[in-house]
Amino acid sequence: MRILIADDELMSLRLLQKTLERAGYEVTAVENGRLAAEQLCPAEGPRLALLDWVMPELDGPGVCREVRKRKEQSYIYMVLLTSKESKGDVVAGLESGADDYLTKPFDPEELKARLRTGLRILNLEDRLVEAREQMRFQATHDGLTTLWNRGVIMDLLGRELDRSRREHVSTSILMCDLDHFKSVNDTYGHLAGDDVLRETAKRLLSSVRSYDFVGRYGGEEFLVVLNNCNPAYALARAEEIRKAIAHFPVQTSSGPVSATMSLGLLLSHEWGSLPLEDLLKQADAALYAAKAAGRNCVKVAIPKIVPGGPDLQVHEPLRLRR
Amino acid sequence: MKETEEDLSNLTFNHAELLARVDNDRELLYDLLAIFKEVFPRQLQALGEAVESGDGKLVAVAAHTLKGMLLNLAAGQAATAAGRLEQLGRSGETSGFQDAFAAFEKDAIRLLLQLDACMAEVHG
């Protein structure tokens, strides 16, 4: 464990350093409070600190205050070292953000025991953060495929559409559905079906750019959001996805299973300011057109302008890319 | 009289306590004594200058530093004398500076002699 010690008194610094190194700590020693704050404030800095109270440039409580100003970073456990003993001083030290204090000259065993207390607290924080991150992941990702779940992919799509309207670029929506997936489950079993869904997720992710979004929209339905892309790129990407699914059987626990995917593509810039729900309906309609056209293909949702009529209407998707 | 001086001398520097503090690491003990021998004269001079200036804040800061060093060496008596100067500095009682400084110097000189002997023993 790394620990920072800060003391302008060289004997104390040397004594602390040696005592802590013997106890197995990786010690960084500095001689004033300003240097201590510079070491502690970065995200990758030590998380355990022993700070002398009286130091040049910035005193121990001052270092504590600087460190506690940081937000969204790991907790730093700080112990003030002081020869001060009055209750008011101790209160002031703890109020500045210190977790504990030790009176100099310190007893080595007491010092080590108090630092072990600090380590317990840091370990507890690590476990809490890990648990929070797990919960956050579970709340935002699909448990089977680890893709974004429906709520998140919808949210990401909404933001991306807003951004593309502001910046006058196009966002592409790909509504994707595995063909005859029910028969995969019926023929090979649900475990094999799960294998197909997981592998489909991997192939979708590997077919798009790192900054595009892929989510599980429903059972065997997936939603892909291609950010800031032109029509040619979107069509090429959709076709790439279709091929990635169809070209190689998925290795499942029940043997290789062939799969194909139908896709409905929508380019947002062609649809003005149509609400997200309506855009999804149009993408869905394009997907069903692809199903109706024999599956394993891509159809594009095309808006139709009707003179004197409502802003936009959709006619039968026309383009077929195979 | 001789007995009293020896008793005081024993109080000046607690060798056993210091050894325990460094976990019987004689090399570390020697290092600490060497640092003290190097730093102490400068700090003593700074304290003397502060006393001469009559600046209570400077006296308190210099005396506080010395007190910390001396406590680390288990030199309780000299540390107490430094603490007295620190208190006088904080409270701005300039009239007591000279006497308190003289008492501290006296303790410090005796301590330095003891530390020389200790260093010779550790090094030997």
Side-chain angles (χ1 to χ4, degrees):
Chain A
M1 182 71 178
R2 290 164 66 203
I3 185 168
L4 177 103
I5 54 176
D7 197 329
D8 60 322
E9 206 266 273
L10 292 180
M11 284 173 60
S12 185
L13 203 62
R14 176 88 174 104
L15 186 55
L16 279 169
Q17 183 165 14
K18 191 74 178 180
T19 304
L20 294 174
E21 282 174 351
R22 263 203 294 256
Y25 290 93
E26 186 187 330
V27 179
T28 301
V30 296
E31 293 174 23
N32 70 58
R34 180 53 56 200
L35 290 173
E38 285 172 8
Q39 288 281 332
L40 290 171
C41 286
E44 69 281 5
R47 296 178 60 200
L48 205 50
L50 273 174
L51 307 165
D52 191 25
W53 190 301
V54 180
M55 285 188 288
E57 308 243 1
L58 190 64
D59 62 10
V63 177
C64 293
R65 278 188 287 274
E66 293 253 323
V67 168
R68 294 292 179 241
K69 279 184 200 163
R70 306 170 326 141
K71 302 284 180 206
E72 302 289 325
Q73 286 183 35
S74 298
Y75 193 75
I76 296 179
Y77 190 89
M78 294 180 287
V79 180
L80 283 175
L81 287 169
T82 176
S83 55
K84 297 183 170 192
E85 285 142 346
S86 79
K87 197 173 176 183
D89 288 334
V90 170
V91 170
L94 295 175
E95 289 290 331
S96 72
D99 296 284
D100 199 359
Y101 72 96
L102 261 177
T103 305
K104 290 203 287 188
F106 61 86
D107 174 81
E109 294 310 313
E110 184 184 356
L111 169 69
K112 286 182 262 183
R114 288 190 188 244
L115 290 177
R116 281 195 293 273
T117 302
L119 286 176
R120 281 199 296 274
I121 287 173
L122 293 179
N123 286 336
L124 179 65
E125 195 225 3
D126 287 345
R127 291 211 303 273
L128 286 171
V129 168
E130 195 181 324
R132 184 192 67 194
E133 290 307 310
Q134 267 179 7
M135 286 168 66
R136 184 178 291 175
F137 188 86
Q138 285 166 0
T140 54
H141 290 74
D142 171 59
L144 180 67
T145 61
T146 72
L147 294 175
W148 294 117
N149 65 24
R150 184 185 171 110
V152 173
I153 192 70
M154 295 280 278
D155 186 47
L156 290 170
L157 172 58
R159 290 187 206 186
E160 206 51 43
L161 287 170
D162 288 344
R163 191 177 68 84
S164 59
R165 279 166 188 154
R166 277 198 313 273
E167 297 175 7
H168 306 291
V169 293
S170 187
T171 292
S172 296
I173 303 171
L174 271 169
M175 192 68 87
C176 318
D177 190 79
L178 283 171
D179 298 326
H180 300 301
F181 185 69
K182 186 175 179 301
S183 70
V184 172
N185 278 334
D186 291 345
T187 310
Y188 300 97
H190 284 89
L191 290 179
D194 288 349
D195 289 338
V196 171
L197 290 170
R198 274 192 288 265
E199 180 60 23
T200 298
K202 280 186 196 166
R203 293 183 191 184
L204 285 171
L205 284 173
S206 63
S207 301
V208 298
R209 301 162 300 186
S210 59
Y211 50 91
D212 292 326
F213 304 126
V214 182
R216 190 176 176 195
Y217 192 65
E220 68 267 31
E221 215 168 356
F222 300 87
L223 186 61
V224 178
V225 180
L226 303 172
N227 307 312
N228 189 14
C229 69
N230 60 42
Y233 177 84
L235 284 167
R237 196 54 39 204
E239 185 59 12
E240 192 68 34
I241 288 172
R242 190 194 64 74
K243 285 181 187 168
I245 303 298
H247 273 198
F248 304 99
V250 177
Q251 298 302 321
T252 73
S253 51
S254 301
V257 175
S258 294
T260 59
M261 180 172 262
S262 300
L263 300 95
L265 169 62
L266 181 145
L267 303 159
S268 71
H269 74 280
E270 294 179 346
W271 295 84
S273 56
L274 206 63
L276 182 147
E277 291 76 15
D278 292 343
L279 290 178
L280 284 173
K281 274 184 199 164
Q282 301 308 331
D284 216 27
L287 168 62
Y288 276 92
K291 293 279 187 187
R295 297 182 169 82
N296 190 23
C297 63
V298 181
K299 290 282 188 179
V300 183
I302 307 287
K304 181 183 176 186
I305 307 296
V306 179
D311 286 349
L312 291 165
Q313 285 189 359
V314 182
H315 66 67
E316 186 76 11
L318 295 174
R319 276 178 253 172
L320 170 67
R321 308 279 296 185
R322 295 191 64 167
Chain B
M1 180 67 186
K2 190 169 186 286
E3 193 177 325
T4 308
E5 278 181 357
E6 277 174 3
D7 286 344
L8 280 174
S9 171
N10 285 339
L11 283 171
T12 303
F13 169 50
N14 189 332
H15 195 177
E17 186 185 326
L18 181 54
L19 264 178
R21 192 164 293 154
V22 296
D23 206 12
N24 284 308
D25 183 338
R26 298 175 81 79
E27 190 185 338
L28 175 58
L29 175 58
Y30 188 85
D31 280 356
L32 293 180
L33 294 174
I35 292 171
F36 182 82
K37 291 271 289 180
E38 186 188 332
V39 174
F40 183 76
R42 286 203 303 270
Q43 295 292 346
L44 184 65
Q45 186 182 347
L47 178 59
E49 287 169 3
V51 166
E52 283 302 317
S53 73
D55 184 329
K57 196 174 174 185
L58 284 179
V59 169
V61 169
H64 176 84
T65 304
L66 281 163
K67 185 180 77 175
M69 292 169 64
L70 292 161
L71 284 172
N72 274 327
L73 275 188
Q77 188 175 332
T80 302
R84 198 175 303 127
L85 264 166
E86 184 185 358
Q87 282 305 319
L88 289 171
R90 284 188 197 285
S91 59
E93 293 175 58
T94 52
S95 60
F97 282 1
Q98 292 293 348
D99 287 348
F101 183 64
F104 174 71
E105 269 191 311
K106 194 175 157 193
D107 286 337
I109 288 164
R110 290 165 64 196
L111 173 67
L112 285 170
L113 290 171
Q114 278 199 337
L115 292 182
D116 282 341
C118 181
M119 279 183 87
E121 182 196 326
V122 172
H123 206 239

